[in-house]
């Protein structure tokens, strides 16, 4: 078994599962019911994960899922203090800490 996909938005993971199953790859979802643990574990530990049964198909699986990695709508934000662009995962400006 090998993990081939994970995302904070379960919709994308279900979509990935559908894509692989449509190509006759056997997959399993993990963390499907761990949302209740949010706040106690690092956020990425709660992401829904897609695991592939046969490691031998991992390259095919990744190729099929490549379309899911196309740029998503940017949610970067600009600091009001110094105008620096910050990634969505930053709560504070990395440049001026505002
Ligand atoms: Zn700033």
């Amino acid at each position: 078994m090998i993990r081939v996909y994970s995302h904070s938005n379960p919709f994308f993971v279900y979509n990935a599962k559908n894509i692989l199953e449509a190509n006759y790859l056997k997959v399993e979802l993990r963390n499907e019911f761990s949302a209740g643990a949010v706040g106690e574990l690092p956020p990425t530990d709660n992401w829904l994960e897609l695991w592939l049964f046969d490691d031998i198909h991992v390259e095919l699986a990744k190729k099929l899922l490549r379309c899911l990695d196309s740029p998503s709508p940017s949610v970067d934000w600009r600091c009001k203090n110094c105008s620096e662009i910050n990634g969505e995962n930053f709560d504070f400006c990395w440049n001026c800490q505002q």
Side-chain angles (χ1 to χ4, degrees), residues 79-84 86 93-98:
C79 175
K80 288 174 184 165
N81 189 49
C82 70
S83 297
E84 186 61 52
N86 292 279
C93 174
W94 68 268
N95 187 44
C96 70
Q97 281 76 49
Q98 282 291 306

Side-chain angles (χ1 to χ4, degrees), residues 39-53:
E40 297 169 23
L41 298 169
T44 52
D45 283 1
N46 292 296
W47 287 14
L48 189 59
E49 296 177 344
L50 186 64
W51 287 71
L52 184 69
F53 273 83

Side-chain angles (χ1 to χ4, degrees), residues 1-3 26-28 30 50-55:
M1 297 272 309
I2 184 167
R3 193 181 73 171
K26 197 172 176 201
V27 293
E28 176 184 286
R30 292 188 185 176
L50 186 64
W51 287 71
L52 184 69
F53 273 83
D54 297 316
D55 294 15

Side-chain angles (χ1 to χ4, degrees), residues 30-82:
R30 292 188 185 176
N31 284 349
E32 202 166 0
F33 305 105
S34 68
V38 171
E40 297 169 23
L41 298 169
T44 52
D45 283 1
N46 292 296
W47 287 14
L48 189 59
E49 296 177 344
L50 186 64
W51 287 71
L52 184 69
F53 273 83
D54 297 316
D55 294 15
I56 195 170
H57 297 309
V58 67
E59 287 307 317
L60 172 62
K62 287 186 174 176
K63 192 175 163 191
L64 290 166
L65 297 178
R66 204 162 290 155
C67 61
L68 295 173
D69 291 330
S70 55
S72 54
S74 176
V75 286
D76 291 353
W77 54 276
R78 182 184 295 273
C79 175
K80 288 174 184 165
N81 189 49
C82 70

